[in-house]
Amino acid sequence: MVFNIALSAFVLALPLLLVDAASTKRSMCSDGRSAAANSACCAVFPVVEDIVDNLFTNECGDSAHGALRLLFHDAIGISPTAGGGGADGSIATFNATELTFPANLGIDDILDDLGPFLLKHSNVLSAGDFIQLAGAVSLVQCPGAPRIPFFMGRPAPVAASPPNLVPQPTDDITTILDRFGSVGFSPAEVVAVVGGSHSVAGADDVVPNFEGVPFDQTPAQFDTQIFVDVLLRGTAFTDGQGAQSGESETAVAGTVRLQSDGLLARDPRTACTWQSFVNQQSKMAQAFGEAVLKLSFLGQNQHELTDCSEVIPQAIALKTGAATFPPGKTVKDIELSCNDAKFPNLRTQPGPATTVSPIPQAVSTSTAAPAS
Ligand code: HEM
Ligand SMILES: *[C@@H]1O[C@H](CO)[C@@H](O)[C@H](O)[C@H]1NC(C)=O
């Protein structure tokens, strides 16, 4: 894990220094099997074990996807003009307010799933810490995703986020870049964090009557396939109903493309970065990891937080990382949008066209085992 980045967010003026695992002295925790540089981190190991086993069930499935989306919707709730606490847990604590925001459509189901674990572990972690922890742990359920640092010590949120801070799929690219830009994200960072996250994602609500509709062919792996699929010329979407608001018809049967993703892939300000991630797994994972870490510090002072990165399990390597064209498709089916670079050569998947299966839905875990 190499993170050597200068973060420029207004909320975080100092460069991030990663703990060098080899040179940091760690002490054994009282469980006799974990070790941490700071003993305050010891209490987090059992939380990680609980959510890996009982929330994510060791899968890059709906619960892991939901935790990643929740991390974003909590963190982005901050603006230099409107206020808000960023990655503070307000989306859970002030759910009665924030769940009314249109951009938080579907977050209610995610909180139904994850909320019981947040409450169960509230003696160890604040709501803001729990949401960032769950997001970081969700990533290491997904082959190919980076293992990102985790910092602990966010205070309890003081108020709900102001409205209209979470980007919507119907927003234009100027609106999206301005929103992210106001909290220190460059257009290239926006491409990395949005494209990367939507590699392990799907829609539960924005496609009427359908749940778990993936955004790419491989929603259970963190790979660069999304950067290909979103650039394919649109053809019929298999539900036979055509495009709904906030989405476009897509070339890969069974998937749905958010309008905002389609535009990010094609806009002159972002298209070349988008294309540059095609088949560049480690570059994409690195850029994405840095951007997610930056989200986790929004509204927080990193120097008041404790580095507990050792609680995050090892990343899972991607077995077959190569991006491909779907059966029957070639570069001719790509809407070439970057004038500066040639589209990479990719293999076409053999066989007849297939339909991508829906992502199985998480069953609400409100019956989660009580705290021990
Ligand atoms: C322009 C910015 C973004 C927009 C407009 C956007 C929009 C959306 C929409 C509309 C959905 C589907 C919701 C549903 O119907 O269930 C979705 C899903 C998702 N988004 Fe984003 N998103 C953005 C950025 C991000 C970022 C930065 C992350 C994480 C770092 C993220 C993570 C996810 C995940 C993991 C899902 C799948 C959730 C699930 O399967 O339950 N998104 N996004
Ligand atoms: C907010 O969360 C609490 C605690 O999990 C829950 O009881 C309540 O129903 C939620 N409210 C809304 C509006 O979702």
Side-chain angles (χ1 to χ4, degrees):
M1 179 173 52
V2 182
F3 280 96
N4 180 16
I5 43 176
L7 296 171
S8 57
F10 77 100
V11 287
L12 181 72
L14 292 161
L16 174 77
L17 300 172
L18 237 220
V19 172
D20 176 353
S23 67
T24 304
K25 192 172 158 13
R26 298 184 187 191
S27 313
M28 206 55 152
C29 297
S30 62
D31 67 1
R33 52 197 178 101
S34 319
N38 187 316
S39 62
C41 306
C42 286
V44 185
F45 286 100
V47 178
V48 171
E49 193 171 296
D50 185 29
I51 63 177
V52 168
D53 290 350
N54 302 314
L55 174 60
F56 301 139
T57 60
N58 291 285
E59 280 169 32
C60 181
D62 192 40
S63 293
H65 301 170
L68 181 59
R69 185 173 181 229
L70 186 66
L71 162 170
F72 171 55
H73 285 231
D74 189 40
I76 200 68
I78 183 168
S79 134
T81 48
D88 63 352
S90 63
I91 201 165
T93 307
F94 297 99
N95 60 344
T97 303
E98 294 197 27
L99 294 188
T100 66
F101 302 164
N104 283 338
L105 179 69
I107 297 289
D108 54 344
D109 290 334
I110 294 171
L111 281 174
D112 283 350
D113 189 30
L114 188 135
F117 292 88
L118 184 153
L119 294 175
K120 177 180 170 185
H121 297 296
S122 57
N123 56 330
V124 176
L125 295 162
S126 66
D129 284 346
F130 183 86
I131 288 172
Q132 296 306 317
L133 175 72
V137 175
S138 79
L139 289 175
V140 294
Q141 310 309 303
C142 299
R147 175 176 183 259
I148 63 167
F150 168 67
F151 286 71
M152 172 167 122
R154 292 169 189 76
V158 294
S161 163
N164 306 319
L165 298 181
V166 184
Q168 301 240 53
T170 46
D171 286 347
D172 61 29
I173 296 305
T174 299
T175 304
I176 290 171
L177 295 181
D178 285 354
R179 178 75 273 276
F180 275 98
S182 78
V183 290
F185 285 75
S186 68
E189 289 174 317
V190 173
V191 172
V193 77
V194 178
S197 64
H198 287 174
S199 155
V200 283
D204 294 335
D205 293 274
V206 297
V207 187
N209 309 317
F210 288 83
E211 287 191 319
V213 187
F215 292 153
D216 75 352
Q217 297 177 69
T218 54
Q221 52 187 52
F222 184 91
D223 60 13
T224 72
Q225 192 61 41
I226 182 109
F227 295 91
V228 179
D229 293 353
V230 169
L231 271 175
L232 289 166
R233 274 176 228 291
T235 55
F237 174 53
T238 46
D239 71 359
Q241 300 178 354
Q244 316 287 333
S245 99
E247 65 186 67
S248 347
E249 298 191 338
T250 150
V252 184
T255 67
V256 66
R257 177 184 307 162
L258 296 176
Q259 179 182 294
S260 47
D261 287 352
L263 293 175
L264 264 185
R266 289 163 178 77
D267 189 280
R269 291 163 287 183
T270 46
C272 288
T273 308
W274 185 280
Q275 179 179 297
S276 77
F277 287 130
V278 172
N279 227 0
Q280 296 297 322
Q281 176 68 25
S282 57
K283 175 182 158 175
M284 198 272 284
Q286 171 85 14
F288 167 81
E290 290 170 2
V292 176
L293 181 64
K294 196 163 162 174
L295 282 175
S296 81
F297 290 135
L298 287 177
Q300 305 295 325
N301 181 348
Q302 188 195 330
H303 301 282
E304 287 167 13
L305 304 179
T306 303
D307 188 338
C308 287
S309 299
E310 60 269 293
V311 306
I312 306 298
Q314 290 310 307
I316 304 173
L318 193 60
K319 287 200 191 82
T320 50
T324 49
F325 295 121
K329 308 274 185 197
T330 69
V331 72
K332 291 199 183 70
D333 299 291
I334 294 285
E335 267 183 70
L336 295 173
S337 308
C338 170
N339 296 325
D340 305 350
K342 188 176 162 291
F343 196 84
N345 291 321
L346 303 179
R347 193 174 58 82
T348 294
Q349 294 158 33
T354 48
T355 299
V356 182
S357 305
I359 302 162
Q361 293 302 288
V363 189
S364 170
T365 44
S366 47
T367 51
S372 52

